[in-house]
Amino acid sequence: MLAAALLATYLGSGPVIVENGRSEWGIGVGPNSGPALEHGAGELRAAIEEMSGVSLPILHEKRPGAKQIWIEFDKRAPVEGYSIDVAADRVTIRGGERGAMYGCYALLEDQLGCRWFNSRVSYVPKQATIQLPLMHLKEKPAFEYREPFYAEAFGKEWASRNRVNGASMQLDDSVGGRVKYGKFVHTFSEIAPPNEYFAKHPEWFSLVDGKRRDDYAQLCLTNPELLKHAIEVVKGWIKADPKATIFSVSQNDTYENCQCDNCKAVEKEEGAPSGVLLRFVNAVADAIRPEYPNVLIDTLAYQWTEKPPLHVRPHKNVRVRLAPIGACVAHAIDSCDANKSVFDNLKAWSRITNQLYIWHYSTNFANYLQPIPDLDEIAQDIRLFHKTGVVGLFYEGDYAAGGGGEMSELKAYLMAKLMWNPERPAQPIIDDYVRHVYGSGATYVSQWLNLLHGPERNSNVHAHIYDPSNSPYLSEQIVSKGQNLFDSAMQATESEPLAHEEVRKARLAVDYVYVMNMKAGAERVLLASALVSEIEHFGINQTSEGGSTADFKKRILGSDK
């Protein structure tokens, strides 16, 4: 039974929906269905037609004796939950607003073998006869919030088909919407911008080394007037964005937390600065709850707040996002000496809240194109997060417009599958993706992935999100073998234009490291120029977080002149 499934029963061979290119079946959409159910019905019909050549009619009423795949809204179901019942003459898909649509995708993916790997590569098996098993399935996702934060994952079609619901994804009402943040993260500078409030209220801002800070620092979270102001600001946010379900009241992206006597006293009592923050956030959440009972307040456990407090607990409408930015991303949190403090904090937070979110990291932010051996970690940690009671996952990758980060689309696909059901074995998902996306080059790409992950699997080699290009897991031998493997993959796909282009994009990773590690000189200029041309060919706008391709081009070419 799937980890995300509440009930799954299979009873043998069921109805034949299409037989030798002919069908007596239709697709029915129940009353009060809404656009997401209509969208699911349309996707179901389109896929069945692509599989078999048969276009099933879409009806909006039950017809006695008619054979139908019936899709209906169930107000009792969780918004993303669904059930599928397959009988001899009827298939019934019921669910919440997104759930019933997800049920349509589940039928296509889990029973009929359809896949949506990335925006360019899908797989719909061709078969003149389509038969379903008799079954009853009731399912919901393992995590309430699922966001692989990659530019390539933001598109509406890919995100809805792969059943993710992140705030950054272009999931409008036509596909049932998404988890919508009104304010996303690092909001202290929006609650009280220093240029607006410091002159009148310097006491609202953090005291550091005996001086109130009027720059990008933190707030004085024990100041009662600041709290009143913050509550009114958050209420204003909610009024201005009534469709949002969650608002972040969270520290700025820096240290510099307040050291005034009151803040230090609370910190001492709570055993950690997170206690000062959480008391403040709880007070905001308490104040908005009577008027907005369904709105959640989000905050961070990050940098100076990563360690949990001793006494205060997140209130029911508060979501804490633990963000272990210093973690080794080559190994699972619970199996790496370098991650001991991260694991301790995860366990401690999970003991004091059953509503914990995770903000994790899955790219090299100083070198988006550089390989990072984290496929094992992704699978193992998603499983660990579910086991420890985490309810929401955000994995930050290369989110810049144009994307292009190393293996971003494979990672996003793997995350989507495991965020829905973390008990699925990861390797078959990876193999399925590689086989279909890289065609005749798949064998060589698989060998490259195994080669890349060899050091972290076979020795105590760690990886972090700002590693340089000469890191131990990117030895000269590994990069050289990688280039040979991609040479073979390019040659193998010469007659497969789409697979060839996918291989060409994937090989940027090894070429990038090779060029970055070369000594200055004419040869480096030549190869760097070719690398930049490839980066531009794929529309990659940033090669590091905040670092444009244009600036990279000037730097890597200009440095050798």
Side-chain angles (χ1 to χ4, degrees):
M1 183 181 296
L2 300 177
L6 300 179
L7 178 65
T9 305
Y10 294 88
L11 302 171
S13 298
V16 177
I17 308 300
V18 176
E19 186 170 11
N20 295 322
R22 300 174 63 86
S23 180
E24 300 175 350
W25 285 70
I27 300 173
V29 184
N32 305 316
S33 58
L37 274 71
E38 295 281 356
H39 183 84
E43 290 276 83
L44 196 59
R45 177 172 67 174
I48 289 174
E49 183 174 7
E50 186 174 347
M51 292 173 75
S52 67
V54 175
S55 180
L56 304 184
I58 293 182
L59 310 171
H60 289 85
E61 59 181 10
K62 286 185 177 180
R63 295 184 178 179
K67 296 179 178 179
Q68 283 185 317
I69 302 173
W70 183 252
I71 308 163
E72 65 182 13
F73 174 70
D74 182 355
K75 64 181 181 181
R76 298 166 298 178
V79 66
E80 296 190 313
Y82 61 83
S83 63
I84 301 175
D85 290 278
V86 180
D89 58 357
R90 182 175 295 275
V91 177
T92 304
I93 302 172
R94 296 186 182 91
E97 187 175 1
R98 284 192 293 276
M101 179 187 72
Y102 287 161
C104 295
Y105 287 129
L107 194 69
L108 291 172
E109 182 175 4
D110 302 335
Q111 306 303 324
L112 299 179
C114 297
R115 301 287 188 270
W116 304 278
F117 297 108
N118 59 39
S119 63
R120 303 168 302 282
V121 182
S122 299
Y123 173 69
V124 178
K126 303 295 184 183
Q127 48 194 79
T129 296
I130 298 174
Q131 185 174 20
L132 295 173
L134 296 172
M135 68 177 189
H136 171 70
L137 174 75
K138 190 174 184 181
E139 190 171 33
K140 65 178 182 179
F143 298 95
E144 68 181 25
Y145 168 56
R146 307 175 303 283
E147 184 154 15
F149 192 59
Y150 295 89
E152 294 92 341
F154 295 165
K156 179 170 74 172
E157 284 192 351
W158 186 91
S160 57
R161 288 169 171 174
N162 288 291
R163 293 179 260 173
V164 290
N165 63 4
S168 57
M169 288 147 186
Q170 298 155 6
L171 298 168
D172 56 24
D173 289 343
S174 71
V175 290
R178 66 192 191 277
V179 173
K180 188 176 188 304
Y181 269 80
K183 296 290 181 179
F184 186 58
V185 74
H186 303 314
T187 58
F188 279 5
S189 57
E190 296 182 73
I191 289 173
N195 62 341
E196 291 184 37
Y197 292 100
F198 187 82
K200 291 183 178 180
H201 299 287
E203 71 279 5
W204 287 7
F205 298 86
S206 49
L207 182 74
V208 180
D209 297 330
K211 182 181 178 181
R212 294 287 177 180
R213 295 289 297 268
D214 64 350
D215 56 358
Y216 187 73
Q218 307 296 348
L219 299 175
C220 180
L221 301 175
T222 56
N223 185 289
E225 295 304 316
L226 172 67
L227 175 60
K228 291 178 184 177
H229 170 78
I231 290 167
E232 293 308 310
V233 168
V234 173
K235 286 183 177 180
W237 290 346
I238 299 170
K239 289 177 183 177
D241 196 354
K243 290 188 177 181
T245 55
I246 187 165
F247 293 81
S248 183
V249 177
S250 56
Q251 68 210 60
N252 290 332
D253 195 5
T254 185
Y255 285 83
E256 314 298 350
N257 54 303
C258 186
Q259 299 169 10
C260 76
D261 289 344
N262 290 335
C263 287
K264 292 296 286 184
V266 174
E267 180 180 334
K268 183 177 180 181
E269 182 180 340
E270 291 287 355
S274 58
V276 189
L277 172 66
L278 191 53
R279 288 189 187 189
F280 182 85
V281 171
N282 278 346
V284 174
D286 289 346
I288 65 107
R289 187 188 302 118
E291 191 173 354
Y292 304 104
N294 297 318
V295 170
L296 302 175
I297 299 297
D298 164 279
T299 197
L300 288 174
Y302 170 67
Q303 293 180 339
W304 54 278
T305 58
E306 192 171 336
K307 181 182 175 182
L310 295 175
H311 306 295
V312 64
R313 302 293 183 255
H315 289 180
K316 187 176 181 180
N317 59 334
V318 170
R319 295 290 186 272
V320 173
R321 279 197 284 184
L322 175 61
I325 193 167
C328 167
V329 295
H331 305 108
I333 287 171
D334 63 346
S335 64
C336 179
D337 292 342
N339 285 334
K340 183 182 183 305
S341 64
V342 175
F343 189 35
D344 289 343
N345 288 332
L346 172 64
K347 291 184 291 184
W349 278 110
S350 68
R351 283 194 294 267
I352 67 174
T353 179
N354 59 1
Q355 300 163 138
L356 185 63
Y357 280 9
I358 295 292
W359 179 311
H360 209 5
Y361 305 88
S362 54
T363 194
N364 187 311
F365 290 91
N367 303 279
Y368 277 152
L369 301 179
Q370 183 171 303
I372 191 166
D374 62 350
L375 289 177
D376 296 344
E377 175 274 325
I378 288 168
Q380 292 165 16
D381 274 345
I382 291 177
R383 191 172 298 118
L384 172 67
F385 294 143
H386 185 244
K387 181 180 177 181
T388 53
V390 170
V391 298
L393 283 183
F394 174 95
Y395 260 84
E396 185 179 2
D398 175 3
Y399 57 90
E406 181 261 343
M407 286 294 167
S408 285
E409 289 166 305
L410 168 59
K411 293 177 187 179
Y413 183 78
L414 176 65
M415 289 172 188
K417 301 309 164 193
L418 297 181
M419 286 177 181
W420 184 272
N421 175 20
E423 296 305 317
R424 285 186 62 177
Q427 196 58 50
I429 299 171
I430 296 169
D431 292 343
D432 196 28
Y433 182 97
V434 170
R435 181 171 62 254
H436 285 95
V437 170
Y438 298 108
S440 296
T443 298
Y444 305 106
V445 175
S446 291
Q447 289 177 26
W448 159 245
L449 292 175
N450 285 326
L451 179 67
L452 172 64
H453 287 77
E456 56 89 6
R457 289 171 180 168
N458 301 320
S459 62
N460 200 30
V461 172
H462 302 293
H464 297 84
I465 60 174
Y466 292 101
D467 282 344
S469 56
N470 61 352
S471 296
Y473 54 88
L474 295 173
S475 67
E476 184 177 345
Q477 182 182 29
I478 285 176
V479 173
S480 178
K481 286 183 178 179
Q483 288 184 307
N484 291 335
L485 287 169
F486 276 105
D487 286 343
S488 297
M490 293 284 285
Q491 185 176 5
T493 56
E494 283 181 349
S495 61
E496 302 168 23
L498 182 54
H500 189 75
E501 194 75 352
E502 297 290 333
V503 169
R504 182 180 171 188
K505 185 177 182 181
R507 81 164 295 154
L508 281 173
V510 293
D511 289 346
Y512 178 88
V513 174
Y514 184 78
V515 169
M516 294 297 285
N517 288 339
M518 289 182 73
K519 293 181 179 180
E523 185 182 3
R524 187 174 193 254
V525 171
L526 183 66
L527 292 180
S529 180
L531 173 65
V532 168
S533 294
E534 288 293 274
I535 292 171
E536 292 174 337
H537 170 78
F538 286 105
I540 297 170
N541 296 321
Q542 291 187 11
T543 58
S544 62
E545 188 174 32
S548 71
T549 295
D551 287 343
F552 172 75
K553 180 178 181 179
K554 291 177 184 177
R555 187 174 74 253
I556 197 168
L557 296 180
S559 64
D560 289 316
K561 291 182 179 178

